């Protein structure tokens, strides 16, 4: 079973501008409309910005990386005609962040903020980029400005992300709950509200409260029917309960719509959990081919997945470390350092692993996997007291049944 990412990660992934709800069909019609406008008037930069924003929304709803490339292209064309367009700069910053080009995203977001310092969205794009780059203090300043300007879903989910990274899980969840309520009241995008419920459900899941987790996932599904995010978490939940057939049915429903390689790996993980090695190998082969194809196309978001894949699924310590170091060039958040620590551990480089693990834990983020990795590293260095202390911290966050079920290689 695939390990569930931390609470805040759901909210940061493919962050987009605030938009009204839209299903895939409606988005396709909207894209066709703006494309037809541009056919009639290629110099219409406003339509280019609208089209770029629609591409971003499609990427967000469907998890399609290629849409972010289309968005960047059309937004750059718009900005070539209107370089002082705030909407164009903000949308471009989000497109760059979605491609994990966070340094470029921060630069463009700063241009937007300087252009309109009292506008909301530029601070969101800037904070997102800075947080991924490991600049927690800079992200705090950007998100504080967001909250001061407008304490709605857009602002609260970002502050929640930051609070979670800083170890304030209770505060983060309160922000997410409030964001969902305000989002409903203001008519925010249905999938954005659904992501809030998935995030809350994931926290319940990680503490072993499966019934509460399922209730929140199903609430998300009401808002986002056939949404890949609530469906994949329901699949993970079924697998954790031992309902492997139910999990596979849900996962295969998801991958038929969103064939991303991490989801292909999840199917393989379920087959491995049910001791079907041949099926697991087939799905893991597909996942690996997908990861490599995506990074060959320039998608840097999968560097971390490859590092962990070669650490745990198809052990190849040298490749694991290579991909972990590539990810470190792209982003320097706590999960980057945790992945690097684990790759170094798999290579027997325990002192270097401990240094990276200490970076990962510097904010005391309440993610059990971070503490469990650190415990294994301390154990390898014969630091038994610290290893026990870190293990106890991990088990306070996530019960052993759930934690080791998600991370069987750590048993």
């Amino acid at each position: 079973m695939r390990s569930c990412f931390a609470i805040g990660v759901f909210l940061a992934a493919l962050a987009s501008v605030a938009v009204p709800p839209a299903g895939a069909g409606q988005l396709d019609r909207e894209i066709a409309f703006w494309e037809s406008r541009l056919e009639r008037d290629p110099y219409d930069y406003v339509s280019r910005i609208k089209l770029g924003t629609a591409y971003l929304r499609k990427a967000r709803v469907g998890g399609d990386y290629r849409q972010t490339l289309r968005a960047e292209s059309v937004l750059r064309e718009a900005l070539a005609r209107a370089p002082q367009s705030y909407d164009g700069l903000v949308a471009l910053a989000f497109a760059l962040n979605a491609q994990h080009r966070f340094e470029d995203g921060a630069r463009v977001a700063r241009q937007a903020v300087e252009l309109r310092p009292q506008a909301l969205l530029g601070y969101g794009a800037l904070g997102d980029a800075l947080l991924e780059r490991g600049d927690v203090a800079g992200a705090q300043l950007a998100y504080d400005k967001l909250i001061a300007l407008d304490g709605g879903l857009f602002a609260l989910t970002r502050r929640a992300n930051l609070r979670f990274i800083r170890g304030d899980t209770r505060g983060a969840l309160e922000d997410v709950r409030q964001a969902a309520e305000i989002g409903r009241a203001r008519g925010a995008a249905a999938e954005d509200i659904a992501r809030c419920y998935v995030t809350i459900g994931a926290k319940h899941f990680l503490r072993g409260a499966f019934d509460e987790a399922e209730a929140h996932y199903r609430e998300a599904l009401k808002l986002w029917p056939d949404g890949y995010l609530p469906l994949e978490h329901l699949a993970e939940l079924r697998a954790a309960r031992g309902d492997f057939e139910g999990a596979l049915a849900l996962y295969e429903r998801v991958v038929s719509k969103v064939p991303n390689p991490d989801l292909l790996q999840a199917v393989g993980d379920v087959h491995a959990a049910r001791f079907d090695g041949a099926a697991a190998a087939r799905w893991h082969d597909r996942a690996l081919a997908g990861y490599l194809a995506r990074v060959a196309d320039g998608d840097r978001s999968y560097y971390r997945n490859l590092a962990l894949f070669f650490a745990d699924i198809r052990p190849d310590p040298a490749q694991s470390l290579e991909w972990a170091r590539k990810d470190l060039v792209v982003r320097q958040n706590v999960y980057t350092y945790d992945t690097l620590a684990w790759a170094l551990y798999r290579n027997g480089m325990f002192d270097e692993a401990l240094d990276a693990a200490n970076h990962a834990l510097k904010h005391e983020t309440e993610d059990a996997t971070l503490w469990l990795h650190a415990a294994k590293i301390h154990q390898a260095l014969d630091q038994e007291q610290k290893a026990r202390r870190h293990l106890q911290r991990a088990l306070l966050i996530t019960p052993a049944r759930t934690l080791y079920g998600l991370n069987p290689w750590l048993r």
Side-chain angles (χ1 to χ4, degrees):
M1 291 165 285
R2 187 173 57 134
S3 178
C4 182
F5 288 111
I7 278 176
V9 177
F10 302 132
L11 302 170
L14 288 179
S16 185
V17 294
V19 291
Q26 182 180 333
L27 276 172
D28 288 339
R29 289 190 293 274
E30 184 177 335
I31 287 169
F33 172 79
W34 294 118
E35 287 175 339
S36 67
R37 285 280 295 266
L38 286 172
E39 286 178 6
R40 293 195 300 272
D41 182 2
Y43 299 99
D44 180 2
Y45 75 88
V46 173
S47 291
R48 289 190 185 277
I49 294 170
K50 297 287 190 182
L51 178 60
T53 301
Y55 284 146
L56 281 178
R57 289 165 61 197
K58 187 164 185 177
R60 181 175 174 80
V61 171
D64 186 349
Y65 168 77
R66 294 167 300 178
Q67 300 297 330
T68 67
L69 301 179
R70 294 189 181 103
E72 181 190 358
S73 177
V74 75
L75 289 166
R76 288 195 183 279
E77 290 171 359
L79 288 165
R81 293 176 170 82
Q84 296 300 301
S85 168
Y86 175 83
D87 291 341
L89 287 168
V90 167
L92 178 59
F94 281 122
L96 293 167
N97 286 349
Q99 296 172 41
H100 287 219
R101 293 163 58 188
F102 299 113
E103 187 173 352
D104 293 338
R107 176 180 51 78
V108 174
R110 284 194 177 95
Q111 289 178 252
V113 166
E114 289 169 5
L115 189 65
R116 288 177 57 184
Q118 294 304 308
L120 184 71
L121 301 179
Y123 291 104
L126 178 59
D128 293 350
L130 294 177
L131 192 57
E132 292 288 354
R133 295 286 293 174
D135 184 357
V136 172
Q140 176 81 64
L141 291 173
Y143 293 155
D144 283 349
K145 185 67 175 179
L146 265 183
I147 295 293
L149 287 168
D150 178 83
L153 183 149
F154 183 82
L156 286 168
T157 52
R158 282 163 169 79
R159 187 173 71 179
N161 200 12
L162 180 62
R163 282 182 162 179
F164 176 76
I165 293 299
R166 283 189 154 164
D168 181 13
T169 302
R170 181 173 297 180
L173 281 171
E174 182 54 40
D175 274 350
V176 177
R177 290 189 183 98
Q178 188 178 357
E181 292 173 6
I182 294 173
R184 281 183 179 276
R186 294 184 180 181
E191 63 269 15
D192 287 340
I193 303 169
R195 286 169 188 267
C196 292
Y197 286 114
V198 169
T199 297
I200 298 167
K203 177 55 181 173
H204 288 301
F205 174 80
L206 289 176
R207 69 179 182 84
F210 290 167
D211 289 344
E212 291 90 337
E214 180 160 0
H216 283 88
Y217 295 157
R218 292 201 176 280
E219 188 66 27
L221 209 54
K222 290 178 187 176
L223 290 160
W224 190 4
D226 285 334
Y228 74 95
L229 196 61
L231 283 173
E232 68 168 290
H233 281 82
L234 278 168
E236 180 182 54
L237 176 59
R238 287 190 180 180
R241 282 177 155 160
D243 178 10
F244 298 129
E245 297 305 319
L248 289 171
L250 282 176
Y251 271 132
E252 292 183 24
R253 180 176 162 192
V254 174
V255 300
S256 69
K257 299 174 181 294
V258 184
N260 287 344
D262 54 321
L263 295 172
L264 301 178
Q265 180 184 328
V267 178
D269 293 348
V270 175
H271 282 296
R274 65 199 287 266
F275 301 107
D276 187 343
R282 288 195 300 272
W283 283 94
H284 286 154
D285 284 344
R286 289 181 61 186
L288 178 57
Y291 287 140
L292 294 174
R294 291 289 285 265
V295 299
D297 285 342
D299 188 348
R300 304 191 293 180
S301 67
Y302 285 111
Y303 290 172
R304 183 178 298 164
N305 297 75
L306 278 164
L308 294 172
F309 188 90
F310 285 121
D312 299 318
I313 305 301
R314 295 279 174 82
D316 186 333
Q319 285 219 57
S320 177
L321 186 54
E322 179 184 346
W323 289 109
R325 284 175 169 158
K326 284 184 178 181
D327 193 49
L328 186 65
V329 174
V330 174
R331 49 188 173 176
Q332 296 81 40
N333 61 36
V334 297
Y335 292 98
T336 308
Y337 280 106
D338 173 66
T339 302
L340 178 62
W342 195 235
L344 289 163
Y345 169 84
R346 290 302 200 196
N347 279 271
M349 302 165 68
F350 302 133
D351 289 323
E352 295 93 331
L354 182 58
D355 183 61
N358 287 337
H359 276 286
L361 293 176
K362 66 181 177 180
H363 299 298
E364 301 211 353
T365 306
E366 290 191 326
D367 184 314
T369 301
L370 305 184
W371 295 93
L372 195 55
H373 282 167
K376 297 290 286 187
I377 293 166
H378 280 294
Q379 186 179 46
L381 290 166
D382 295 323
Q383 298 173 359
E384 292 295 334
Q385 186 174 0
K386 288 184 177 179
R388 283 195 299 273
R389 190 160 61 243
H390 283 70
L391 177 59
Q392 288 168 356
R393 182 71 178 269
L395 295 175
L396 282 174
I397 298 168
T398 300
R401 176 173 65 108
T402 303
L403 184 58
Y404 289 114
L406 294 172
N407 301 281
W409 48 85
L410 287 171
R411 289 172 185 162

